[in-house]
Protein backbone atom coordinates (compact mmCIF):
# COMPACT_ATOMS: atom_id res chain seq x y z
CA UNK A 1 0.00 0.00 0.00
CA UNK A 2 1.25 3.43 -0.88
CA UNK A 3 -0.18 6.56 0.69
CA UNK A 4 -1.96 9.33 -1.13
CA UNK A 5 -0.01 12.54 -1.64
CA UNK A 6 -1.35 15.48 0.37
CA UNK A 7 0.78 18.12 -1.43
CA UNK A 8 3.15 18.48 -4.36
CA UNK A 9 6.23 17.07 -2.64
CA UNK A 10 7.53 13.55 -2.58
CA UNK A 11 8.75 13.00 0.95
CA UNK A 12 10.39 9.60 0.71
CA UNK A 13 13.60 10.64 2.48
CA UNK A 14 14.09 13.43 5.03
CA UNK A 15 17.83 13.83 5.65
CA UNK A 16 19.08 15.36 8.91
CA UNK A 17 22.03 17.69 8.64
CA UNK A 18 23.60 19.09 11.82
CA UNK A 19 23.21 22.86 11.42
CA UNK A 20 26.63 23.58 12.91
CA UNK A 21 28.55 21.40 10.44
CA UNK A 22 29.43 23.60 7.50
CA UNK A 23 30.72 20.79 5.27
CA UNK A 24 27.55 18.74 5.64
CA UNK A 25 25.27 21.76 5.25
CA UNK A 26 27.09 22.67 2.03
CA UNK A 27 26.58 19.16 0.62
CA UNK A 28 22.98 18.75 1.71
CA UNK A 29 21.28 19.97 -1.47
CA UNK A 30 23.27 17.64 -3.72
CA UNK A 31 22.67 14.34 -1.90
CA UNK A 32 19.38 13.48 -3.61
CA UNK A 33 17.14 13.57 -0.52
CA UNK A 34 13.54 14.61 -1.14
CA UNK A 35 13.73 16.81 1.95
CA UNK A 36 16.59 18.14 4.05
CA UNK A 37 16.15 18.82 7.76
CA UNK A 38 18.64 21.48 8.81
CA UNK A 39 18.94 20.74 12.50
CA UNK A 40 19.22 23.20 15.38
CA UNK A 41 18.20 20.67 18.03
CA UNK A 42 19.96 17.56 19.30
CA UNK A 43 22.73 17.26 16.68
CA UNK A 44 23.99 20.77 17.58
CA UNK A 45 25.96 21.31 20.79
CA UNK A 46 24.47 23.78 23.29
CA UNK A 47 27.38 26.18 22.71
CA UNK A 48 27.02 26.25 18.92
CA UNK A 49 23.33 27.04 18.38
CA UNK A 50 24.06 30.63 17.29
CA UNK A 51 26.67 29.54 14.77
CA UNK A 52 24.24 26.96 13.38
CA UNK A 53 21.52 29.60 12.87
CA UNK A 54 23.96 31.69 10.79
CA UNK A 55 24.96 28.69 8.65
CA UNK A 56 21.34 27.68 8.13
CA UNK A 57 20.28 31.19 7.13
CA UNK A 58 23.10 31.34 4.57
CA UNK A 59 22.26 27.88 3.19
CA UNK A 60 18.59 28.77 2.75
CA UNK A 61 19.48 32.04 1.02
CA UNK A 62 21.48 30.23 -1.63
CA UNK A 63 18.98 27.43 -2.32
CA UNK A 64 17.60 26.87 -5.80
CA UNK A 65 14.00 26.23 -6.84
CA UNK A 66 14.76 22.76 -8.19
CA UNK A 67 16.31 21.45 -4.97
CA UNK A 68 14.83 19.43 -2.11
CA UNK A 69 12.15 20.59 0.27
CA UNK A 70 13.92 22.52 3.07
CA UNK A 71 12.96 21.99 6.69
CA UNK A 72 14.48 23.47 9.84
CA UNK A 73 14.25 21.58 13.11
CA UNK A 74 14.11 24.09 15.94
CA UNK A 75 14.66 23.42 19.65
CA UNK A 76 11.62 22.59 21.76
CA UNK A 77 9.32 25.39 22.88
CA UNK A 78 10.34 25.06 26.56
CA UNK A 79 14.07 25.61 25.82
CA UNK A 80 15.90 28.97 25.96
CA UNK A 81 16.76 28.55 22.25
CA UNK A 82 13.24 28.57 20.90
CA UNK A 83 12.72 32.32 20.31
CA UNK A 84 16.02 32.79 18.49
CA UNK A 85 15.35 29.62 16.44
CA UNK A 86 11.94 30.95 15.46
CA UNK A 87 13.36 34.32 14.45
CA UNK A 88 15.99 32.53 12.34
CA UNK A 89 13.30 30.39 10.70
CA UNK A 90 11.01 33.31 9.86
CA UNK A 91 13.96 35.27 8.48
CA UNK A 92 15.35 32.42 6.37
CA UNK A 93 11.94 31.08 5.24
CA UNK A 94 12.38 27.34 4.80
CA UNK A 95 9.42 25.32 3.47
CA UNK A 96 8.51 24.01 6.91
CA UNK A 97 9.63 23.74 10.53
CA UNK A 98 10.08 20.52 12.44
CA UNK A 99 8.89 20.95 16.03
CA UNK A 100 10.38 18.43 18.48
CA UNK A 101 8.81 17.16 21.71
CA UNK A 102 5.20 17.84 20.78
CA UNK A 103 3.58 15.98 23.67
CA UNK A 104 0.08 17.34 23.20
CA UNK A 105 -2.09 19.64 21.05
CA UNK A 106 -1.47 22.58 23.43
CA UNK A 107 2.24 22.57 22.49
CA UNK A 108 1.43 22.87 18.81
CA UNK A 109 -1.14 25.61 19.43
CA UNK A 110 1.45 27.60 21.40
CA UNK A 111 4.03 27.13 18.65
CA UNK A 112 1.48 28.27 16.09
CA UNK A 113 0.68 31.44 18.07
CA UNK A 114 4.37 32.30 18.67
CA UNK A 115 5.11 31.70 15.00
CA UNK A 116 2.22 33.93 13.90
CA UNK A 117 3.57 36.71 16.14
CA UNK A 118 7.06 36.28 14.67
CA UNK A 119 5.66 36.30 11.11
CA UNK A 120 3.70 39.49 11.84
CA UNK A 121 6.77 41.16 13.38
CA UNK A 122 8.80 40.29 10.27
CA UNK A 123 6.09 41.44 7.87
CA UNK A 124 5.61 37.93 6.50
CA UNK A 125 2.23 36.41 5.61
CA UNK A 126 0.85 34.66 8.68
CA UNK A 127 0.58 30.90 8.19
CA UNK A 128 3.13 30.67 5.40
CA UNK A 129 5.42 28.34 7.37
CA UNK A 130 4.15 24.77 7.59
CA UNK A 131 4.87 22.51 10.56
CA UNK A 132 5.91 18.91 11.14
CA UNK A 133 5.34 17.67 14.69
CA UNK A 134 7.73 15.15 16.21
CA UNK A 135 5.93 12.47 18.15
CA UNK A 136 8.51 11.18 20.60
CA UNK A 137 7.00 10.34 23.98
CA UNK A 138 4.32 8.02 25.34
CA UNK A 139 2.05 11.04 25.91
CA UNK A 140 2.59 12.20 22.34
CA UNK A 141 1.60 8.80 20.96
CA UNK A 142 -1.60 8.79 23.02
CA UNK A 143 -2.30 12.40 21.98
CA UNK A 144 -1.37 11.91 18.32
CA UNK A 145 -4.94 12.28 16.95
CA UNK A 146 -5.41 15.61 18.79
CA UNK A 147 -1.93 16.81 17.78
CA UNK A 148 -2.64 15.99 14.14
CA UNK A 149 -5.68 18.29 14.23
CA UNK A 150 -4.21 21.09 16.37
CA UNK A 151 -2.93 23.49 13.69
CA UNK A 152 -3.83 24.21 10.07
CA UNK A 153 -0.09 24.62 9.48
CA UNK A 154 0.53 20.95 10.22
CA UNK A 155 1.72 18.97 7.20
CA UNK A 156 3.12 15.84 8.82
CA UNK A 157 3.84 13.76 11.92
CA UNK A 158 7.37 12.39 12.38
CA UNK A 159 8.16 9.50 14.69
CA UNK A 160 11.07 10.17 17.06
CA UNK A 161 11.56 6.61 18.21
CA UNK A 162 14.86 7.17 20.00
CA UNK A 163 13.40 9.74 22.41
CA UNK A 164 10.27 7.58 22.63
CA UNK A 165 12.43 4.59 23.64
CA UNK A 166 14.08 6.72 26.31
CA UNK A 167 10.67 7.78 27.60
CA UNK A 168 9.50 4.17 27.70
CA UNK A 169 12.58 2.97 29.59
CA UNK A 170 13.84 0.90 26.65
CA UNK A 171 17.27 0.70 25.02
CA UNK A 172 17.78 1.99 21.45
CA UNK A 173 16.86 -0.55 18.82
CA UNK A 174 15.13 -1.02 15.50
CA UNK A 175 11.56 0.19 15.06
CA UNK A 176 10.10 -2.84 13.31
CA UNK A 177 8.76 -4.77 16.30
CA UNK A 178 7.35 -4.49 19.81
CA UNK A 179 5.89 -1.35 21.32
CA UNK A 180 7.73 0.96 18.91
CA UNK A 181 6.01 -0.80 16.04
CA UNK A 182 2.69 -0.30 17.83
CA UNK A 183 3.52 3.42 18.10
CA UNK A 184 4.22 3.52 14.36
CA UNK A 185 0.76 2.09 13.69
CA UNK A 186 -0.84 4.68 15.96
CA UNK A 187 1.07 7.50 14.28
CA UNK A 188 0.02 6.48 10.76
CA UNK A 189 -3.63 6.23 11.77
CA UNK A 190 -3.55 9.66 13.45
CA UNK A 191 -1.81 11.29 10.50
CA UNK A 192 -4.06 9.77 7.85
CA UNK A 193 -7.21 10.62 9.81
CA UNK A 194 -6.11 14.28 9.75
CA UNK A 195 -4.94 14.17 6.13
CA UNK A 196 -1.27 14.83 6.91
CA UNK A 197 1.87 12.83 6.11
CA UNK A 198 3.36 10.17 8.38
CA UNK A 199 7.18 9.93 8.42
CA UNK A 200 8.91 6.86 9.82
CA UNK A 201 11.76 6.46 12.33
CA UNK A 202 15.51 6.80 11.69
CA UNK A 203 17.85 3.84 11.48
CA UNK A 204 20.73 4.72 13.81
CA UNK A 205 23.20 2.18 12.42
CA UNK A 206 24.39 3.80 9.18
CA UNK A 207 26.18 0.59 8.12
CA UNK A 208 23.11 -1.63 8.46
CA UNK A 209 21.75 -1.25 4.93
CA UNK A 210 19.76 -4.50 5.12
CA UNK A 211 18.05 -3.32 8.29
CA UNK A 212 17.30 0.05 6.72
CA UNK A 213 15.82 -1.64 3.62
CA UNK A 214 13.66 -3.98 5.70
CA UNK A 215 12.34 -1.19 7.91
CA UNK A 216 11.69 1.17 4.98
CA UNK A 217 9.87 -1.56 3.05
CA UNK A 218 7.72 -2.27 6.09
CA UNK A 219 7.05 1.46 6.57
CA UNK A 220 5.96 1.88 2.94
CA UNK A 221 3.58 -1.05 3.39
CA UNK A 222 2.11 0.62 6.50
CA UNK A 223 1.16 3.92 4.89
CA UNK A 224 4.15 6.06 5.83
CA UNK A 225 5.11 8.41 2.97
CA UNK A 226 8.79 8.32 3.85
CA UNK A 227 11.52 7.80 6.39
CA UNK A 228 14.05 9.99 8.17
CA UNK A 229 17.68 9.52 7.17
CA UNK A 230 20.87 10.50 8.97
CA UNK A 231 23.43 9.49 6.34
CA UNK A 232 23.59 9.91 2.53
CA UNK A 233 24.02 6.12 2.12
CA UNK A 234 20.51 5.56 3.45
CA UNK A 235 18.81 7.75 0.81
CA UNK A 236 18.80 5.41 -2.24
CA UNK A 237 17.72 2.50 -0.04
CA UNK A 238 14.80 4.49 1.31
CA UNK A 239 13.84 5.80 -2.14
CA UNK A 240 13.73 2.30 -3.55
CA UNK A 241 11.41 1.15 -0.77
CA UNK A 242 9.02 4.08 -1.28
CA UNK A 243 9.00 3.99 -5.09
CA UNK A 244 6.86 1.40 -6.91
CA UNK A 245 9.02 -1.09 -8.84
CA UNK A 246 8.76 -1.48 -12.62
CA UNK A 247 6.95 -4.80 -12.06
CA UNK A 248 4.48 -3.16 -9.74
CA UNK A 249 3.86 -0.37 -12.25
CA UNK A 250 3.18 -2.92 -15.01
CA UNK A 251 0.73 -4.74 -12.75
CA UNK A 252 -1.07 -1.48 -11.94
CA UNK A 253 -1.33 -0.69 -15.66
CA UNK A 254 -2.73 -4.18 -16.35
CA UNK A 255 -5.32 -3.86 -13.59
CA UNK A 256 -6.42 -0.43 -14.84
CA UNK A 257 -6.63 -1.69 -18.41
CA UNK A 258 -8.78 -4.65 -17.31
CA UNK A 259 -10.99 -2.27 -15.36
CA UNK A 260 -11.43 0.13 -18.30
CA UNK A 261 -12.35 -2.80 -20.53
CA UNK A 262 -14.93 -3.98 -17.99
CA UNK A 263 -16.39 -0.48 -17.82
CA UNK A 264 -16.87 -0.33 -21.57
CA UNK A 265 -18.68 -3.66 -21.30
CA UNK A 266 -20.99 -2.22 -18.66
CA UNK A 267 -19.57 -4.12 -15.68
CA UNK A 268 -18.79 -2.48 -12.30
CA UNK A 269 -16.55 -5.25 -11.02
CA UNK A 270 -14.23 -7.71 -12.71
CA UNK A 271 -11.62 -10.31 -11.67
CA UNK A 272 -8.00 -10.46 -12.84
CA UNK A 273 -5.86 -13.49 -12.00
CA UNK A 274 -8.53 -14.52 -9.49
CA UNK A 275 -8.58 -11.15 -7.70
CA UNK A 276 -11.51 -8.78 -7.57
CA UNK A 277 -11.01 -5.32 -9.01
CA UNK A 278 -13.44 -2.75 -7.61
CA UNK A 279 -13.41 1.05 -7.23
CA UNK A 280 -11.09 1.41 -4.21
CA UNK A 281 -8.65 -1.03 -5.84
CA UNK A 282 -8.68 1.12 -8.97
CA UNK A 283 -7.99 4.23 -6.86
CA UNK A 284 -5.04 2.52 -5.14
CA UNK A 285 -3.58 1.37 -8.46
CA UNK A 286 -3.90 4.88 -9.87
CA UNK A 287 -2.07 6.21 -6.82
CA UNK A 288 0.77 3.76 -7.46
CA UNK A 289 1.10 5.04 -11.03
CA UNK A 290 0.97 8.62 -9.81
CA UNK A 291 3.69 7.97 -7.27
CA UNK A 292 5.89 6.25 -9.84
CA UNK A 293 5.39 9.13 -12.26
CA UNK A 294 6.29 11.72 -9.62
CA UNK A 295 9.40 9.73 -8.69
CA UNK A 296 10.40 9.82 -12.36
N1 LIG B 1 24.36 15.32 5.82
C1 LIG B 1 25.24 15.74 4.89
N2 LIG B 1 26.40 15.11 4.63
C2 LIG B 1 26.67 14.02 5.36
C3 LIG B 1 25.80 13.53 6.34
C4 LIG B 1 24.59 14.23 6.57
N3 LIG B 1 23.70 13.83 7.49
N4 LIG B 1 26.33 12.43 6.89
C5 LIG B 1 27.49 12.24 6.28
N5 LIG B 1 27.71 13.18 5.36
C6 LIG B 1 28.87 13.31 4.48
C7 LIG B 1 30.15 13.47 5.25
O1 LIG B 1 30.41 14.83 5.49
C8 LIG B 1 31.13 12.83 4.33
O2 LIG B 1 31.44 13.74 3.30
P1 LIG B 1 32.98 14.07 2.95
O3 LIG B 1 33.61 12.74 2.64
O4 LIG B 1 32.88 14.97 1.76
O5 LIG B 1 33.53 14.72 4.15
C9 LIG B 1 30.38 11.71 3.66
O6 LIG B 1 29.00 12.10 3.76
C10 LIG B 1 30.58 10.38 4.31
O7 LIG B 1 30.31 10.48 5.68
P2 LIG B 1 30.83 9.39 6.70
O8 LIG B 1 32.30 9.54 6.90
O9 LIG B 1 30.33 8.05 6.27
O10 LIG B 1 30.03 9.77 8.02
P3 LIG B 1 30.60 10.59 9.26
O11 LIG B 1 31.37 9.65 10.12
O12 LIG B 1 31.24 11.84 8.78
O13 LIG B 1 29.26 10.98 10.00
C11 LIG B 1 27.27 10.77 11.24
C12 LIG B 1 28.39 10.02 10.54
C13 LIG B 1 26.22 9.78 11.71
C14 LIG B 1 27.82 11.57 12.42
C15 LIG B 1 26.66 11.75 10.18
O14 LIG B 1 26.13 10.96 9.16
C16 LIG B 1 25.65 12.74 10.70
O15 LIG B 1 26.02 13.79 11.23
N6 LIG B 1 24.34 12.45 10.54
C17 LIG B 1 23.29 13.33 10.96
C18 LIG B 1 22.99 13.13 12.43
C19 LIG B 1 21.84 13.96 12.89
O16 LIG B 1 21.62 15.05 12.40
N7 LIG B 1 21.06 13.47 13.85
C20 LIG B 1 19.93 14.18 14.37
C21 LIG B 1 18.64 13.45 14.16
S1 LIG B 1 18.61 11.77 14.70
MG1 LIG C 1 14.36 13.58 19.31
Amino acid sequence: MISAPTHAHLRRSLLYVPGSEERKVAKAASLGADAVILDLEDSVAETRKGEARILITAALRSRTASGPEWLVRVNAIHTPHFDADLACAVESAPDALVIPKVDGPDVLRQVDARLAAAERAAGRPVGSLKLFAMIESARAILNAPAIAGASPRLTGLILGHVDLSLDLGLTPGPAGAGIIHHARCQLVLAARAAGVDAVDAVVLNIQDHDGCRAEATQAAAMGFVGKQAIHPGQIPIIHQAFTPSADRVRRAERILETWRQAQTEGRGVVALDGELIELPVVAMEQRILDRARRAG
Side-chain angles (χ1 to χ4, degrees), residues 206-225:
I206 58 179
Q207 291 165 351
D208 182 12
H209 287 181
D210 290 342
C212 183
R213 188 173 298 108
E215 222 175 85
T217 303
Q218 185 187 41
M222 290 171 68
F224 283 104
V225 300

Side-chain angles (χ1 to χ4, degrees), residues 15-18 21 23-25 27-28 31 37 39 42-43 73 162 202 204 206 228-232:
L15 175 72
Y16 281 101
V17 182
E21 295 191 32
R23 194 178 167 82
K24 287 176 184 164
V25 172
K27 294 181 85 166
L31 296 171
I37 306 178
D39 192 22
D42 288 355
S43 71
R73 182 167 77 168
V162 183
V202 292
L204 290 180
I206 58 179
Q228 299 160 89
I230 51 171
H231 190 274

